[in-house]
Amino acid sequence: MADIYDNIGSVYQKMGDGELDTISENQQAEYYSRAIGYYEKSLPLYTEIGFEKGISKSFSRIGKINLSRGEYDSVLGNLEKSKDSYEAMGDKFELGDTYLYIGKYYNALKNYTLALKNLKKAKELAEELSSLELKSEAADEMSKSYAAIGDYKNAYLEHVLSREVENKFRNNASKKDIANQEINYQVNKKQREMELEQQKKDLLAKEEIRTQSIITKGAFIALGMVILLAFFIFRGYRIKQKSNILLEAQRDEILQKNEELLQLNEEITSQRELIEHQRDIAVQRQKEITDSIRYAKRIQTAVMPHREMFVELVPDYFIYFKPRDIVSGDFYWMKKLDKHIVVAAADCTGHGVPGAFMSLLGIAFLNEIVTDSFTDASGILNSLRERIIEALHQTWQDDEAKDGMDICLNVINIETKELQYAGAYNPLYLIRDGELKEFKADKMPIGIHIKEPVDFTNHTIQLNGNDTIYLFSDGYIDQFGGEKGGKFKSRQFRELLLNIQDKPMNEQKGIIDETYKNWKGNEKQLDDILVIGMRF
């Protein structure tokens, strides 16, 4: 009876774990409530018979459901009881899963120290047991913990580890698909053999009917020939007896083949259920990954300067920011000092999650480097490059990843209107009196380079009234589109800026966006896009 209650509770728990776009929140709450009700019925029965595994399983499932429902008061007690029991039984697989959910519980309460302590134990058990699924989940949760406490380096490393392990797990799932296809092939082969066998039996049956017809006709013709009739009757009896023996043997063979086919069908059903379970796990993992990335977007948005800062310091401006994925490898940055404002537009290596981690490093280092006493544009880039190389442990070895960023950085003296510009691959455009002047960047990145590093060039520009400057990454000019499917390119981008430079900045942003959409058409967005315009 305890197993029955436990199985019913498991069914309701799986129904509650369904996506919210297929069931309502009220339905989910009802399913979870029913599941806990049945687990609470099975728990005393398991306790009465002393079935430790059932007791541990009930405590674990109740704790996990309450964690999903956000009822944290009753989570830890159940999970700790489950953990102690699995530890006593030496069930390392379930113990590792329980440590994982205790870590998730502490993450939900924002107690990241205890979360990391339990998640590390889950990860150690996963490595000991070679459990790819548990290792991927533990690394993913640790990445969230490190990101929450500002340890972006470890957050990045754990995130990368989680994705690598998950890819291995998916490859194993693909191998199981191939095995299932082989089983289906064998079943179809068996079915074809049985169909051929049945055709043979049908021919034998027709032959028997034909024989019986001949016997009947002979009996009427040889009615007066008693001896001959008796001979034919005896002969017919013997033929029928042999046919019956043959049919009996064939029937036994058919029954045996049917049993084999039923066994194969049971194996296929079992494999199908396993595949469906793995598919459900993959869907859940995909949802968790997307949720993690959306949370990372909130962190990235929070650390970039608010638009109100631009409005206060440079009232006439626009920012056209269009990440390719949820999070971006491009970022913009601004800081107000005593007599200066510092503005930067940067493009990190890659896009999506790897690029976003690099952007967080860049923003953190710029916040540390730029001070009232350090406002030299080229010096800021030199210092930023040193910190990036040190943080990523980069050397000049050929097989090493060349991660880093391209950047356009400007230091503007508010009182004298003097602008300092330094750039790593990203140039600066200045439009004055209807003419566009390009200040070229140094052809070396913020990070490791094929050549020994030299100081970045510092350009000094005296701004006049109504001057407009543009900072940008290469995402806009590298976008494929148009009638021939080529890149937008720098020349066309400069012509666009010259054509709209006399319009208000907000209107310029709208034209830039409309031009991009018309150019891209049905092509995919290739990279993150960032364009900043400021008029003085």
Side-chain angles (χ1 to χ4, degrees):
M1 183 60 73
D3 286 339
I4 293 174
Y5 285 144
D6 182 74
N7 289 335
I8 295 173
S10 177
V11 170
Y12 277 118
Q13 183 176 357
K14 290 178 180 178
M15 292 169 69
D17 288 339
E19 299 292 336
L20 287 179
D21 57 355
T22 58
I23 64 171
S24 67
E25 292 184 4
N26 290 337
Q27 286 177 316
Q28 184 184 53
E30 176 64 21
Y31 292 148
Y32 279 153
S33 178
R34 291 185 181 181
I36 287 181
Y38 280 104
Y39 290 148
E40 288 177 345
K41 288 182 179 180
S42 67
L43 184 57
L45 296 178
Y46 281 138
T47 303
E48 183 179 345
I49 63 176
F51 184 45
E52 287 295 330
K53 189 171 183 63
I55 296 170
S56 304
K57 183 168 58 176
S58 298
F59 280 129
S60 175
R61 289 178 172 176
I62 292 171
K64 290 175 182 178
I65 291 176
N66 285 330
L67 179 60
S68 298
R69 296 196 303 180
E71 296 182 3
Y72 301 126
D73 291 342
S74 56
V75 171
L76 186 60
N78 285 292
L79 291 179
E80 287 288 352
K81 291 176 183 176
S82 173
K83 182 199 73 173
D84 293 342
S85 183
Y86 284 134
E87 206 165 25
M89 289 187 294
D91 191 336
K92 293 185 178 180
F93 281 100
E94 294 294 344
L95 181 60
D97 186 65
T98 305
Y99 274 123
L100 171 66
Y101 275 88
I102 293 175
K104 288 184 177 182
Y105 162 76
Y106 281 119
N107 259 348
L109 293 185
K110 300 183 178 180
N111 189 336
Y112 302 114
T113 301
L114 289 178
L116 286 169
K117 177 181 178 182
N118 285 276
L119 291 171
K120 287 177 181 177
K121 291 181 179 179
K123 184 178 176 184
E124 290 171 0
L125 286 170
E127 292 174 347
E128 179 182 347
L129 300 170
S130 299
S131 173
L132 297 179
E133 182 180 1
L134 178 57
K135 186 176 181 180
S136 174
E137 286 193 71
D140 186 56
E141 283 295 319
M142 289 174 70
S143 175
K144 296 176 186 177
S145 301
Y146 282 126
I149 63 177
D151 189 348
Y152 301 119
K153 177 181 177 182
N154 280 321
Y156 173 69
L157 294 175
E158 293 298 333
H159 176 80
V160 171
L161 175 62
S162 175
R163 298 290 77 79
E164 290 176 350
V165 175
E166 183 180 2
N167 287 336
K168 292 181 181 178
F169 177 74
R170 288 179 177 174
N171 290 336
N172 290 341
S174 297
K175 292 178 181 178
K176 291 181 180 178
D177 289 339
I178 294 172
N180 190 51
Q181 291 174 5
E182 177 64 22
I183 292 174
N184 287 335
Y185 168 77
Q186 294 297 334
V187 171
N188 290 334
K189 181 179 177 182
K190 284 285 185 181
Q191 289 177 336
R192 288 196 298 270
E193 291 176 353
M194 291 184 66
E195 288 174 358
L196 292 174
E197 193 66 31
Q198 186 61 44
Q199 290 177 2
K200 292 180 182 179
K201 293 172 184 176
D202 292 342
L203 290 174
L204 288 174
K206 289 180 181 179
E207 182 65 24
E208 182 183 1
I209 292 172
R210 181 171 171 275
T211 301
Q212 292 291 347
S213 177
I214 292 173
I215 293 173
T216 302
K217 290 178 181 178
F220 280 104
I221 293 172
L223 185 60
M225 302 172 68
V226 177
I227 297 175
L228 187 59
L229 178 61
F231 170 76
F232 278 115
I233 291 172
F234 178 74
R235 182 173 177 273
Y237 171 76
R238 293 296 302 272
I239 292 174
K240 183 177 180 180
Q241 188 179 41
K242 290 180 180 179
S243 297
N244 287 338
I245 293 172
L246 178 62
L247 288 173
E248 186 73 21
Q250 291 173 345
R251 188 194 69 181
D252 292 340
E253 184 179 355
I254 290 171
L255 290 174
Q256 182 179 356
K257 290 185 180 297
N258 282 338
E259 289 177 359
E260 293 174 356
L261 183 59
L262 287 173
Q263 185 176 359
L264 284 173
N265 284 334
E266 289 176 357
E267 293 175 0
I268 292 171
T269 300
S270 176
Q271 289 289 333
R272 185 184 299 113
E273 290 174 353
L274 177 61
I275 292 169
E276 289 174 352
H277 175 66
Q278 292 171 343
R279 179 203 62 199
D280 293 341
I281 292 174
V283 170
Q284 179 64 23
R285 295 295 177 272
Q286 182 64 34
K287 179 180 181 299
E288 292 174 357
I289 291 168
T290 302
D291 290 344
S292 297
I293 296 174
R294 293 190 186 281
Y295 187 81
K297 176 179 176 62
R298 291 169 54 193
I299 296 173
Q300 186 181 38
T301 303
V303 299
M304 286 197 290
H306 296 292
R307 303 294 175 94
E308 290 80 9
M309 178 181 292
F310 278 86
V311 172
E312 177 186 354
L313 301 176
V314 188
D316 203 7
Y317 83 101
F318 73 82
I319 298 175
Y320 182 64
F321 184 46
K322 193 175 183 68
R324 197 198 80 165
D325 302 310
I326 298 174
V327 291
S328 172
D330 285 7
F331 72 91
Y332 54 91
W333 180 84
M334 173 181 275
K335 188 170 185 179
K336 169 70 167 64
L337 303 175
D338 184 19
K339 297 180 181 179
H340 299 84
I341 57 174
V342 185
V343 184
D347 180 4
C348 298
T349 304
H351 41 72
V353 174
F357 272 103
M358 282 297 300
S359 74
L360 292 175
L361 283 177
I363 291 170
F365 288 150
L366 283 172
N367 285 329
E368 293 174 3
I369 294 167
V370 178
T371 64
D372 285 323
S373 60
F374 191 15
T375 57
D376 177 70
S378 61
I380 292 171
L381 293 196
N382 291 334
S383 181
L384 178 60
R385 177 175 58 191
E386 291 174 2
R387 297 196 182 205
I388 289 293
I389 291 173
E390 181 180 0
L392 299 181
H393 303 290
Q394 293 179 333
T395 62
W396 275 264
Q397 296 179 5
D398 292 338
D399 59 346
E400 183 181 58
K402 304 298 188 293
D403 294 321
M405 65 184 72
D406 304 335
I407 190 169
C408 171
L409 185 134
N410 300 272
V411 180
I412 305 165
N413 189 309
I414 302 172
E415 296 178 355
T416 65
K417 302 299 181 182
E418 181 186 80
L419 181 146
Q420 296 179 55
Y421 156 72
Y425 283 121
N426 284 359
L428 173 71
Y429 286 171
L430 168 67
I431 295 182
R432 175 182 294 169
D433 299 329
E435 294 184 359
L436 187 148
K437 182 176 181 181
E438 178 181 358
F439 294 87
K440 295 187 180 297
D442 293 305
K443 294 187 179 301
M444 52 186 178
I446 301 298
I448 205 73
H449 189 45
I450 56 176
K451 298 180 181 179
E452 288 293 324
V454 296
D455 289 345
F456 287 94
T457 305
N458 198 72
H459 301 267
T460 301
I461 307 163
Q462 183 61 48
L463 295 174
N464 297 334
N466 213 34
D467 282 354
T468 307
I469 64 172
Y470 296 91
L471 300 71
F472 51 90
S473 66
D474 61 1
Y476 197 103
I477 62 179
D478 285 346
Q479 177 61 47
F480 287 100
E483 295 180 357
K484 298 182 179 180
K487 291 184 178 181
F488 192 86
K489 295 187 178 179
S490 300
R491 179 186 57 80
Q492 193 171 193
F493 183 60
R494 289 193 294 268
E495 292 175 356
L496 171 64
L497 296 180
L498 282 171
N499 290 334
I500 65 174
Q501 58 89 25
D502 60 340
K503 299 183 183 299
M505 300 305 280
N506 280 337
E507 189 174 343
Q508 288 188 32
K509 177 181 178 181
I511 295 172
I512 288 172
D513 180 54
E514 183 178 359
T515 303
Y516 171 78
K517 290 177 180 177
N518 292 335
W519 175 263
K520 184 173 76 71
N522 295 325
E523 296 285 345
K524 292 183 179 180
Q525 181 175 340
L526 296 180
D527 200 358
D528 303 315
I529 294 174
L530 174 61
V531 182
I532 300 175
M534 296 185 292
R535 179 175 290 156
F536 295 87

